[in-house]
Amino acid sequence: MKKEEGKRGQLTIFIIVAILVIAIVALFFAFPKLRTAVGVEKLETPENFIQTCLQDTIKENVEIISSQGGSLEPEFSYLYKDNKLKYLCYNNEYYKPCIPQISFLRDYIEDEIKKSIEEDVDFCFNSLKEDYNNRGYITNFKEGDIIVELLPKKIVTTINHEFVFSKDENTQRRETFRVVLNNNLYELTAIAQNIIEWETIYGGADCDSYMDVYSKMLCEKYPQTDDTTVYILTDKDTENKFQFALRSIALTPNG
């Protein structure tokens, strides 16, 4: 009898625990705020959503632009190992130093990066709005400007879009979104600009001299048969790369 009573007692406890579990689960689904309070439903912030949505695209586009002389779709270029390298300095005459093709290289590259991500920015903000609407929020969106900045050791994309979302009489507003990419294109661009300046004056630049000053950078210089010169700048730590073409102090076809 005692064994049977013990079994019945264990069964009763099991039934009570099961009822409690079912009741707790029902409460979670009946009261969304309770789920949020205990961390079951955690809404991603708009800033994190945009950072996650854009960071890989920006990284990929920066790598393409850096491998093509700072241009997304270089028109005046030299084909080198299946890459179109934009001529950043050029002169089609012989014995004359090259003429810079871009006045402000950093500004030009910032604008190229901006153009490369505009459609992706639209996609990400539409996705953000849809995500919040699906969660029961009322949203409002106003488009602003996009600013890309090459800064020391990083690229910062600032998106001045206004995003307003409200729920249960609680309204929040975001007016600025920043996506930060760790990349030293700023430094590589500055060195490239200096090389171009030397090419315009002396018709050449010494890679060894740059590597003496910047020990973590690899500078490679490859003269081509048509008097084009390809420069490749590589950060040894990050393997970030910037490469471009120029034609300066060209010799006559007979040397």
Side-chain angles (χ1 to χ4, degrees):
M1 292 292 294
K2 289 183 178 181
K3 289 184 178 180
E4 292 180 0
E5 290 177 357
K7 290 181 179 179
R8 285 198 295 269
Q10 291 177 356
L11 181 60
T12 301
I13 293 173
F14 176 79
I15 293 172
I16 293 172
V17 171
I19 292 172
L20 286 174
V21 170
I22 293 172
I24 292 171
V25 172
L27 283 172
F28 269 52
F29 282 97
F31 299 98
K33 290 183 178 180
L34 178 61
R35 301 205 304 273
T36 302
V38 298
V40 175
E41 182 183 274
K42 185 177 180 182
L43 186 65
E44 186 175 19
T45 66
E47 294 86 350
N48 288 342
F49 187 100
I50 295 301
Q51 170 82 28
T52 301
C53 186
L54 283 174
Q55 60 187 2
D56 288 343
T57 297
I58 295 176
K59 183 175 184 293
E60 291 172 4
N61 289 353
V62 166
E63 289 176 355
I64 294 171
I65 290 170
S66 298
S67 69
Q68 298 182 158
S71 180
L72 182 63
E73 297 178 355
E75 296 179 356
F76 184 41
S77 62
Y78 179 81
L79 187 62
Y80 179 77
K81 293 185 177 180
D82 296 326
N83 280 316
K84 290 183 177 180
L85 306 188
K86 185 174 182 63
Y87 277 106
L88 297 184
C89 197
Y90 187 86
N91 197 328
N92 62 355
E93 298 185 51
Y94 294 103
Y95 305 117
K96 292 185 179 181
C98 62
I99 301 170
Q101 302 299 295
I102 299 172
S103 299
F104 301 100
L105 182 58
R106 190 177 73 183
D107 292 348
Y108 176 83
I109 294 174
E110 289 173 344
D111 190 55
E112 287 293 286
I113 297 172
K114 174 187 172 182
K115 289 190 295 185
S116 76
I117 63 172
E118 285 176 336
E119 291 184 2
D120 297 283
V121 169
D122 290 341
F123 171 81
C124 287
F125 274 88
N126 287 332
S127 298
L128 173 65
K129 184 177 179 180
E130 181 180 356
D131 181 70
Y132 271 70
N133 287 340
N134 291 338
R135 295 172 183 268
Y137 284 81
I138 298 174
T139 61
N140 190 25
F141 169 72
K142 184 179 180 181
E143 186 174 328
D145 59 353
I146 302 171
I147 302 171
V148 176
E149 296 175 284
L150 299 187
L151 300 175
K153 299 186 183 304
K154 61 184 177 182
I155 300 173
V156 178
T157 302
T158 303
I159 307 168
N160 295 314
H161 287 5
E162 183 183 273
F163 180 67
V164 181
F165 54 104
S166 58
K167 186 178 183 181
D168 298 330
E169 299 181 356
N170 179 24
T171 300
Q172 297 186 57
R173 182 189 308 272
R174 301 289 190 273
E175 296 180 344
T176 301
F177 297 81
R178 287 188 176 86
V179 181
V180 179
L181 175 66
N182 293 326
N183 187 293
N184 62 341
L185 184 55
Y186 174 92
E187 288 81 2
L188 297 178
T189 299
I191 296 170
Q193 186 74 66
N194 190 264
I195 289 174
I196 292 168
E197 290 173 3
W198 275 85
E199 288 279 0
T200 60
I201 299 172
Y202 303 106
D206 182 16
C207 266
D208 290 338
S209 298
Y210 287 99
M211 289 189 290
D212 288 340
V213 177
Y214 305 99
S215 59
K216 293 185 178 181
M217 185 202 69
L218 175 64
C219 176
E220 300 170 280
K221 180 179 180 179
Y222 299 108
Q224 306 298 302
T225 55
D226 64 346
D227 291 312
T228 291
T229 299
V230 171
Y231 280 94
I232 303 176
L233 307 176
T234 307
D235 185 282
K236 295 178 182 178
D237 291 337
T238 64
E239 297 186 355
N240 292 333
K241 181 178 296 186
F242 184 78
Q243 56 187 18
F244 60 96
L246 56 80
R247 186 177 190 269
S248 187
I249 309 291
L251 302 177
T252 63
N254 296 325

